[in-house]
Amino acid sequence: MSSRGRSRITDDEINELISKLQSLLPESRRRNIDRASASKLLKETCSYIKSLHREVDDLSDRLSGLMATMDDNSPQAEIIRSLLRS
Amino acid sequence: MQLAPSLSTTTFKQAFLRSMLQGLNAAASSSNNMSFEARKRAVKLAADVAMACARGRRAKWARALVADLSAKHQNNGALLKSMLGEMHERLVRVNNQHCCRIQRSKKILRRSHRMCSTARREKVLHASVVAKSMVKRRTKMLKKIIPGGEVLNGFSLLNEALDYVTSLQAQVELMRSLLKATEESNSNSSITHRASSKDQLKQREGS
């Protein structure tokens, strides 16, 4: 996504972005941020990203553990089933 | 300037799962010689590449992540190649050139900061100054944690963060459902396996 030309970013756009970011954070983290604290928003966003990373790490762990106990064709079946299920 | 487009969930989901499938198959085919650690790294790698591919090349963090992983995980070349095609080799080359450039400019910045810091010691610590330096510090953290964030600032950085967090949430969600489906299939197959071996046993006893 490239922006051509330096158009001014309005206050509205900034506020919209900040509130979108805030709404992404889980409830527990949102409570830590009061309205005018950019620093807290940055902090909570950073630590939320880190916790998401840790979760992916843990899920990879468990998934690869399961792969040790299955034959080669099973991952295929799982994923196709997940794809079909919506 | 546009804000980050919201992820089309179905498109992302399908692209992620398909990518993941390629990666896991590549990992499975070489897994006989792999240690548990190596297999776990391969799965994580597949998940991250799948997330970036599903998001698409239009997101800066996705391009940066793929480039970064291609450079760092050259021992997983087969997996990366199966997920990325020739993009993988191209990226390894580009990334090597890019890294040198970034290191050089970081050095220059660090040197100039050292020269300026003596002048700063005189400043009075007003609340606003403290607040500003906190925002600065935390912005730095955010820049480090978002792939490609080092060269972004302000609005772009927050925009990228929004996009990246959304994708990470989707990645977690999809991996959870993948894990669940795998666990279920495993328990199902072990039940049928036990049932069929019970039948075999009964047949043998009968004769």
Side-chain angles (χ1 to χ4, degrees):
Chain A
M1 192 179 5
S2 57
S3 56
R4 254 177 294 125
R6 293 267 153 187
S7 57
R8 270 280 165 84
I9 300 164
T10 65
D11 278 351
D12 275 346
E13 283 175 325
I14 296 177
N15 289 330
E16 193 185 344
L17 182 54
I18 289 177
S19 66
K20 273 193 182 175
L21 199 51
Q22 243 175 287
S23 67
L24 270 190
L25 301 175
E27 189 61 50
S28 51
R29 291 183 187 271
R30 235 179 292 166
R31 269 185 261 128
N32 300 336
I33 306 170
D34 44 56
R35 241 177 323 140
S37 176
S39 148
K40 285 200 181 140
L41 177 63
L42 290 171
K43 174 181 165 216
E44 287 304 330
T45 305
C46 274
S47 59
Y48 184 44
I49 290 177
K50 285 187 192 156
S51 84
L52 288 169
H53 284 169
R54 283 195 298 269
E55 193 158 4
V56 171
D57 230 48
D58 173 63
L59 290 166
S60 303
D61 242 346
R62 292 157 64 187
L63 195 57
S64 72
L66 287 184
M67 279 174 68
T69 62
M70 58 167 67
D71 47 68
D72 294 51
N73 282 320
S74 298
Q76 235 152 344
E78 278 8 282
I79 294 168
I80 294 174
R81 241 173 276 163
S82 267
L83 270 168
L84 295 173
R85 226 180 294 133
S86 236
Chain B
M1 182 179 240
Q2 286 174 317
L3 292 177
S6 55
L7 291 170
S8 159
T9 352
T10 338
T11 328
F12 185 93
K13 173 179 174 176
Q14 303 228 330
F16 179 87
L17 289 172
R18 252 183 241 122
S19 253
M20 198 58 179
L21 171 60
Q22 277 176 296
L24 289 180
N25 281 342
S29 59
S30 53
S31 71
N32 294 321
N33 310 319
M34 269 195 204
S35 66
F36 176 74
E37 267 307 311
R39 192 168 46 235
K40 183 222 147 171
R41 274 197 301 266
V43 171
K44 172 132 205 308
L45 179 60
D48 284 340
V49 174
M51 171 179 69
C53 288
R55 178 55 187 93
R57 297 190 52 72
R58 300 186 69 206
K60 184 174 175 60
W61 67 261
R63 298 196 301 271
L65 182 59
V66 166
D68 196 44
L69 293 174
S70 288
K72 280 202 188 128
H73 292 263
Q74 300 194 34
N75 57 332
N76 265 311
L79 187 154
L80 285 162
K81 206 162 184 187
S82 85
M83 294 179 82
L84 296 170
E86 2 164 281
M87 217 203 304
H88 168 54
E89 282 143 6
R90 216 190 317 144
L91 285 170
V92 175
R93 246 183 297 133
V94 171
N95 200 69
N96 287 334
Q97 305 167 337
H98 192 50
C99 278
C100 301
R101 240 182 290 146
I102 285 192
Q103 278 170 348
R104 240 180 287 142
S105 26
K106 273 188 181 165
K107 260 192 178 163
I108 294 170
L109 261 167
R110 254 179 281 160
R111 221 178 294 151
S112 72
H113 273 190
R114 252 181 281 143
M115 295 193 281
C116 297
S117 63
T118 40
R120 289 209 197 111
R121 255 185 258 140
E122 312 302 332
K123 252 191 184 145
V124 176
L125 290 174
H126 286 295
S128 60
V129 174
V130 173
K132 272 193 190 156
S133 78
M134 278 200 98
V135 169
K136 231 184 183 177
R137 211 183 322 143
R138 287 173 177 173
T139 308
K140 270 195 196 154
M141 273 172 53
L142 194 60
K143 278 151 82 87
K144 283 205 189 125
I145 210 175
I146 296 176
E150 300 270 335
V151 299
L152 294 175
N153 270 307
F155 191 84
S156 312
L157 182 63
L158 287 182
N159 209 19
E160 205 67 16
L162 189 70
D163 201 287
Y164 186 49
V165 167
T166 316
S167 302
L168 282 174
Q169 289 174 329
Q171 181 190 40
V172 166
E173 207 46 60
L174 289 167
M175 284 188 78
R176 276 201 201 127
S177 52
L178 189 55
L179 190 66
K180 184 160 179 265
T182 311
E183 283 170 348
E184 281 170 5
S185 142
N186 264 10
S187 69
N188 284 341
S189 66
S190 71
I191 287 173
T192 46
H193 183 74
R194 252 179 278 140
S196 69
S197 55
K198 264 194 205 159
D199 290 340
Q200 286 176 353
L201 207 59
K202 276 196 189 144
Q203 283 178 351
R204 250 180 268 146
E205 286 176 358
S207 60

